[in-house]
Amino acid sequence: MTILVPDPSTQASLALPTSNPALNSPELKDMARKFHHEFQRFMMEHQFAVDEVLTKVSILREEFLYLHKYNPIEHVTSRVKSPESIMRKVAQRGITPAFEAIRENISDIAGVRITCSFVKDIYKVLNTLTSQSDLEVIQIKDYIKNPKPNGYKSVHAIVKIPVFLSEGPVDITVEIQIRTIAQDFWASLEHKIFYKYEGSVPEHLVAELAEAARVAESLDMKMQRLHTEVHGHDVNSTESHEDRGFDDSVLQELLTIAQQGVSREQNDTSGKQN
């Protein structure tokens, strides 16, 4: 039996082959409708999980800008794998075509990619995100300290995040990729080349990609040195910046109020003693 699962964003019905009359039975159609509904819910849960992570990242960006006047996050992208891509991976890996089995065996259905300015920012963002109490860290793959043979560099964090639905919370797995601008540019180019050659990339291009990876690493290091020379090492220190939203007159008024409060307390204590 073949069931074609459409994109859940459309209202198209499941396409069932009509060559065999048995496949048009009411029982089979009911099963197909039920599967369609459950798959839509499955996709919706993963989209909600992505939204939750994006909210966390947005809050971090605002906090960095507000407190430190520095934002280590350049840009953020996200995606949820298409139903076709999920089912293709299920078939390739021989995973039981059941939703719980898919949850347990495929960790990158929901994905968020964070592009940072510098390598040190990657670890700052990673530590800040993964230390949040409602995120359960399943695995961290550090391809910066241990690059892939082709030169790929990035940090992948596999996490579980609760999605609160009408029937209760559901823990959904999300893959968070964090990389620098140079690493992201290299990875994007490498993906396009491998897609063009369907994985059979000529050896001279593989060698040039590896060399490009080394150039990207050198660029990251050079830009970090320039940034440090201009801004110093304590760019994230709250002590190195003025408090936003307060001027001298406001601070002076607060100091006067505090002094008046201390004077009243002293007078009250003196009165009680007398």
Side-chain angles (χ1 to χ4, degrees):
M1 178 182 68
T2 302
I3 298 179
L4 302 180
V5 183
D7 189 321
S9 64
T10 69
Q11 297 299 317
S13 60
L14 292 173
L16 298 174
T18 58
S19 57
N20 188 342
L23 296 180
N24 291 320
S25 67
E27 292 81 5
L28 184 58
K29 289 184 177 180
D30 183 66
M31 182 176 66
R33 282 192 294 268
K34 182 179 179 182
F35 182 81
H36 187 199
H37 174 75
E38 291 179 353
F39 209 113
Q40 284 184 314
R41 182 179 179 84
F42 179 81
M43 299 297 292
M44 179 181 64
E45 292 169 354
H46 283 79
Q47 182 58 60
F48 289 162
V50 166
D51 294 341
E52 291 282 353
V53 174
L54 292 178
T55 298
K56 290 179 177 293
V57 174
S58 177
I59 291 172
L60 285 180
R61 295 178 80 169
E62 291 296 323
E63 181 191 7
F64 282 126
L65 283 172
Y66 189 84
L67 294 180
H68 312 301
K69 296 184 181 178
Y70 172 73
N71 179 21
I73 300 172
E74 290 291 338
H75 57 265
V76 183
T77 58
S78 65
R79 63 103 181 94
V80 176
K81 280 184 179 294
S82 68
E84 292 78 13
S85 179
I86 294 171
M87 298 310 292
R88 187 160 48 246
K89 184 167 283 191
V90 166
Q92 290 172 347
R93 295 187 181 181
I95 300 170
T96 302
F99 293 113
E100 286 307 313
I102 295 173
R103 290 184 197 277
E104 291 297 323
N105 292 280
I106 303 181
S107 60
D108 63 345
I109 295 175
V112 173
R113 180 176 299 157
I114 303 171
T115 305
C116 294
S117 306
F118 308 106
V119 172
K120 72 172 186 177
D121 292 332
I122 291 175
Y123 295 102
K124 183 175 184 63
V125 172
L126 174 69
N127 293 333
T128 304
L129 273 176
T130 56
S131 64
Q132 297 189 19
S133 59
D134 59 340
L135 277 182
E136 177 188 354
V137 178
I138 305 300
Q139 186 181 28
I140 293 179
K141 302 176 183 178
D142 192 336
Y143 295 118
I144 294 178
K145 294 180 180 178
N146 301 289
K148 290 185 177 182
N150 64 350
Y152 176 84
K153 291 186 176 183
S154 181
V155 172
H156 295 190
I158 309 298
V159 303
K160 279 190 177 181
I161 185 168
V163 173
F164 294 90
L165 303 172
S166 59
E167 297 178 358
V170 180
D171 289 332
I172 303 297
T173 302
V174 180
E175 181 185 64
I176 303 174
Q177 298 180 359
I178 314 176
R179 57 181 66 156
T180 65
I181 299 172
Q183 291 166 354
D184 187 57
F185 175 70
W186 183 93
S188 177
L189 176 61
E190 190 264 357
H191 177 77
K192 292 176 181 177
I193 290 175
F194 269 73
Y195 183 81
K196 170 72 174 178
Y197 288 95
E198 298 181 348
S200 300
V201 182
E203 290 186 6
H204 74 280
L205 289 180
V206 173
E208 289 193 42
L209 278 171
E211 175 60 24
R214 289 189 286 271
V215 172
E217 179 183 17
S218 176
L219 177 62
D220 272 335
M221 295 174 62
K222 181 174 293 186
M223 297 304 292
Q224 179 66 73
R225 285 197 298 271
L226 289 172
H227 180 76
T228 300
E229 181 176 339
V230 173
H231 297 282
H233 291 282
D234 297 327
V235 68
N236 292 324
S237 172
T238 55
E239 296 179 357
S240 62
H241 302 289
E242 296 180 358
D243 290 331
R244 294 177 60 178
F246 288 88
D247 56 28
D248 291 341
S249 63
V250 174
L251 292 174
Q252 183 60 47
E253 185 176 351
L254 289 174
L255 180 60
T256 301
I257 294 172
Q259 290 174 336
Q260 291 173 348
V262 170
S263 297
R264 282 196 298 270
E265 288 181 3
Q266 291 176 343
N267 291 334
D268 291 342
T269 301
S270 177
K272 290 179 181 179
Q273 290 177 347
N274 295 332

